[in-house]
Amino acid sequence: MLYARRFSGIGNPRLRRSNSIWREKQMMNTVRKSENLLPFPVISAAANGDTNAMCAILKHYGGYIAKLCTRTLKDDAGNTYSYVDEEMRNRLQVRLITRTLAFHVG
């Protein structure tokens, strides 16, 4: 009984404090996720062919596309290098543009 009470968080103020900190971090992550979303008017304008909105979408997803296109190269000496595959980046950007233009709003 003493063991269960001691480590369950009921009587331990340190565990209660860490649980409340964890809840606060979870709420902050939810707020950050909603801040990183593209606004609907930008998506709607890009789907209707607005070039500035399309550039905003490409800029928004640029880091993610670069991460997907990052390749690792090893030379003869065994050194490793990371680089962005430009051909794959262009393909993903074209695919994003075509999918955005094909998106039906409303």
Side-chain angles (χ1 to χ4, degrees):
M1 177 70 174
L2 180 62
Y3 179 80
R5 184 169 180 250
R6 185 180 205 185
F7 292 104
S8 66
I10 295 171
N12 193 341
R14 185 183 302 167
L15 287 177
R16 277 187 275 152
R17 189 174 342 115
S18 67
N19 286 340
S20 65
I21 291 170
W22 179 79
R23 276 188 231 109
E24 289 176 12
K25 286 183 179 180
Q26 290 295 341
M27 291 177 67
M28 286 174 46
N29 286 340
T30 305
V31 171
R32 281 192 202 131
K33 287 179 184 176
S34 64
E35 288 176 357
N36 291 336
L37 295 176
L38 281 170
F40 180 75
V42 173
I43 297 170
S44 175
N48 290 329
D50 184 16
T51 56
N52 291 331
M54 189 63 70
C55 288
I57 289 177
L58 287 172
K59 182 178 177 184
H60 179 79
Y61 287 108
Y64 179 63
I65 290 173
K67 183 180 176 186
L68 290 176
C69 299
T70 301
R71 300 286 176 233
T72 304
L73 175 71
K74 256 188 184 178
D75 62 2
D76 295 333
N79 299 323
T80 58
Y81 301 99
S82 295
Y83 71 99
V84 176
D85 186 1
E86 292 297 326
E87 182 180 347
M88 184 181 246
R89 177 190 280 188
N90 290 336
R91 286 182 183 183
L92 288 177
Q93 286 177 344
V94 167
R95 178 168 257 180
L96 178 62
I97 291 169
T98 56
R99 297 292 180 174
T100 304
L101 291 174
F103 184 70
H104 297 289
V105 180

